[in-house]
Amino acid sequence: MLRALVESLTETAVLVSDRAGVIRAVNAVITSWAPRLVTGRVLAETAPAWLTAADASGTVTAHGGMGSRQVTARRAELPGGHHAWYLTDVTDARSTDRELRLAHGRAEFLAEASAGLLSSLDPRTCVTATAELAASRLADAAVVVTPPDRQRLRLTRAVAGRPGVEECALAVDPAEVPGLPGALAGSPPPPRRTDPVRAPDWLLPEDFGAPVSLLVTPLPGNGVPAGALVLMRRLGAPFTVEEEAFARVFAARAGAAISASVLYTEQARSAALLQEELLPPRLGPIKGTEVAGSYRPSRETLRIGGDFYDTYPAEDSDGESTVVLGDVCGKGLEAAVLTGKIRNTLSALRLVETDHVRLLTLLNHALLNTAHARFATMVLAGVTPLGRGQVRLRLTTGGHPAPLILRVSGDVEEAGTSGTLIGAVPDVRATTFTTVLQPGESCLLYSDGVTEARGGVTGREFFGSERLKTTVAGCVGMPVEALVEHVELRTTEWLADRPHDDIALVGVAAPRGTLRVR
């Protein structure tokens, strides 16, 4: 009956012995742990030493190993001098607790690493952070190797407990480090090796010594490998399979961060180059004329927008130069791209067409045949020095505000020109206004970002045409550069840091003496 009762227990390992120490009953659980513990054998001859000693001394609770398990045994007295041992495998519980602590620590490290790696979009900072983080947690030393540039490997070395990193670029053979060429190419990590560690001197940090274990893993990037991570230990056991797997998880995050920073830097450089080409240029000199310009995009961070201006000097000293100021519908990068196309088209068309209306007609056809569903307004100014300080102006607008002319008397005249939008309808209609600037007189070309600037007490009132004319009238006697700066200042004060459209200004003046060009 006792044997049947013990054998029926399947969740707990149970052993019963009699007064003489002979095993009288065991269940299947304990038999699987210790096959020698069977009915009829003497407990002292077959049980582990720690259990035999506990049984002989009458100890109630004992701990020890049984095969690959760590076991806790509890003794209970039974009638007739028999006693039972109830054994519990505590290996899983201890292992689970250790694994949970390890997993929690690794999760905290990955969270810290992600925050550090993503805190900067500078590639060098990301590489430095990768090396320092890896050395602080994964190994005694870490080396980030970036892909060859001009046949040179760039190395960033970090040592645990040593502040800072070592950086260098070396013309060396990556094949001297097993697995490094494949890692730099983004190949999966090679199988684990048991060969002696081979590490060339150029790989090792200063005063580090020969490592006892080396681990190479790729730094995966976004389509293009970001490099390789080399981990080194100078003491202790080689890297375990679990440590290798965790190192690859870290390397994947680090590689993604480095790759993103490189991509951002390349895009930022490309954007800067494109912006330089799309920005309104520094206005070139026009013989016998003063010219100045000012440009303020709607978004200061972008620097470019839909307003533009340019000057096209005459082919000969007595010929007519051209000044253009325009405004593409919309703002931001898309508008800036179209302004670049318009400027390039105008530059070519003016070489074969001098009549403003026909020039605008050709430009209109060119815009209607593009994929951009945008239109533009603009004003063309033909500038011809006449001598004795006089300048003849031919002014033609296409859907654009008419230029303002400041006479020496202080009167402000609106040029008598008008025209249809460019790139909106098949037929262009425009009129050309011709006038002569006497010495000291100026003409202001401007975009509607000036007159439509919202500000004032309510913040919703337009700057307006009349306020602009009053502002211009107050600039009698000023050089054209000062005229442009004064109008820009008054507009800026009116806006008071409120959102605004692109603002462009160009001033053309008959000279007073010294030529000023901005």
Side-chain angles (χ1 to χ4, degrees):
M1 186 181 296
L2 179 62
R3 184 178 298 114
L5 179 62
V6 171
E7 291 176 353
S8 68
L9 300 174
T10 59
E11 301 296 332
T12 305
V14 181
L15 178 151
V16 176
S17 61
D18 60 15
R19 189 189 305 274
V22 178
I23 299 174
R24 293 303 181 185
V26 294
N27 67 349
V29 178
I30 202 169
T31 301
S32 67
W33 292 0
R36 297 181 61 196
L37 294 177
V38 295
T39 303
R41 302 194 68 172
V42 178
L43 182 64
E45 296 175 355
T46 55
W50 62 271
L51 185 60
T52 299
D55 187 67
S57 64
T59 302
V60 175
T61 302
H63 307 278
M66 187 171 284
S68 61
R69 292 175 172 81
Q70 290 295 315
V71 176
T72 295
R74 292 177 175 82
R75 174 175 165 151
E77 299 297 329
L78 300 178
H82 290 63
H83 58 261
W85 283 103
Y86 300 92
L87 292 85
T88 303
D89 183 0
V90 297
T91 303
D92 291 341
R94 292 179 181 177
S95 176
T96 300
D97 183 59
R98 183 174 62 254
E99 290 175 357
L100 285 174
R101 290 197 302 271
L102 181 60
H104 182 68
R106 286 176 172 174
E108 286 187 337
F109 170 71
L110 287 177
E112 174 190 348
S114 296
L117 291 168
L118 297 176
S119 63
S120 173
L121 286 173
D122 175 61
R124 183 179 177 185
T125 301
C126 284
V127 169
T128 298
T130 298
E132 291 179 332
L133 286 166
S136 71
R137 176 63 182 266
L138 304 179
D140 295 323
V143 182
V144 175
V145 185
T146 54
D149 179 21
R150 298 180 181 178
Q151 306 304 315
R152 288 177 175 267
L153 291 179
R154 180 166 292 279
L155 278 64
T156 303
R157 310 185 190 97
V159 179
R162 186 185 299 178
V165 297
E166 304 170 13
E167 297 178 288
C168 62
L170 304 173
V172 293
D173 184 7
E176 295 180 28
V177 181
L180 183 56
L184 288 173
S187 301
R192 299 182 66 230
R193 302 175 60 91
T194 57
D195 297 349
V197 173
R198 299 194 302 272
D201 292 339
W202 56 262
L203 180 69
L204 304 177
E206 185 178 356
D207 300 327
F208 183 76
V212 299
S213 185
L214 195 72
L215 175 62
V216 180
T217 184
L219 291 168
N222 297 319
V224 179
L229 176 64
V230 182
L231 302 177
M232 292 178 277
R233 280 183 179 162
R234 51 186 164 190
L235 298 173
F239 292 98
T240 65
V241 175
E242 292 77 11
E243 288 172 330
E244 289 186 31
F246 181 61
R248 290 176 194 140
V249 173
F250 168 78
R253 298 197 180 192
I258 294 172
S259 180
S261 67
V262 171
L263 181 61
Y264 172 81
T265 300
E266 292 176 350
Q267 290 179 339
R269 186 181 297 114
S270 299
L273 291 174
L274 290 173
Q275 285 191 29
E276 290 301 323
E277 290 298 318
L278 295 175
L279 281 171
R282 182 181 179 86
L283 295 178
I286 296 177
K287 183 179 179 181
T289 310
E290 294 184 0
V291 183
S294 172
Y295 175 69
R296 182 179 178 182
S298 61
R299 295 170 56 189
E300 295 293 346
T301 56
L302 191 58
R303 296 177 59 210
I304 56 178
D307 286 7
F308 64 96
Y309 54 72
D310 214 335
T311 56
Y312 306 98
E315 297 296 321
D316 55 78
S317 59
D318 297 327
E320 182 183 69
S321 301
T322 302
V323 178
V324 59
L325 184 146
D327 182 2
V328 171
C329 172
K331 50 191 174 183
L333 186 58
E334 291 184 0
V337 170
L338 188 54
T339 66
K341 291 184 177 181
I342 292 175
R343 286 171 53 196
N344 290 335
T345 304
L346 278 174
S347 179
L349 289 177
R350 63 173 294 274
L351 297 177
V352 296
E353 183 57 72
T354 58
D355 182 81
H356 285 180
V357 178
R358 287 197 294 269
L359 181 62
L360 292 178
T361 299
L362 292 173
L363 178 61
N364 185 67
H365 289 323
L367 293 185
L368 289 175
N369 291 328
T370 66
H372 293 276
R374 293 175 180 269
F375 58 85
T377 69
M378 67 185 62
V379 54
L380 299 175
V383 183
T384 305
L386 301 178
R388 301 186 304 278
Q390 295 179 322
V391 173
R392 184 178 66 223
L393 286 182
R394 286 196 306 133
L395 300 170
T396 308
T397 61
H400 199 86
L404 299 179
I405 300 169
L406 176 61
R407 301 298 185 182
V408 290
S409 63
D411 294 334
V412 176
E413 302 173 7
E414 188 174 289
T417 174
S418 62
T420 56
L421 299 172
I422 308 301
V425 295
D427 297 323
V428 170
R429 295 181 181 181
T431 58
T432 299
F433 173 80
T434 302
T435 188
V436 174
L437 298 180
Q438 300 300 324
E441 294 184 337
S442 305
C443 177
L444 180 68
L445 285 60
Y446 61 95
S447 66
D448 60 9
V450 177
T451 53
E452 295 181 3
R454 292 180 180 268
V457 178
T458 64
R460 296 189 297 271
E461 185 182 354
F462 284 137
F463 189 73
S465 299
E466 293 304 317
R467 189 173 282 105
L468 175 59
K469 290 178 181 179
T470 301
T471 302
V472 171
C475 298
V476 174
M478 291 185 182
V480 70
E481 186 175 37
L483 165 65
V484 170
E485 289 180 350
H486 184 68
V487 173
E488 180 186 12
L489 177 62
R490 289 287 290 116
T491 307
T492 301
E493 291 174 345
W494 183 259
L495 285 167
D497 294 326
R498 296 181 182 89
H500 61 88
D501 199 354
D502 300 324
I503 295 174
L505 297 163
V506 172
V508 179
R512 296 170 177 275
T514 304
L515 180 67
R516 291 180 175 86
V517 178
R518 181 186 175 191

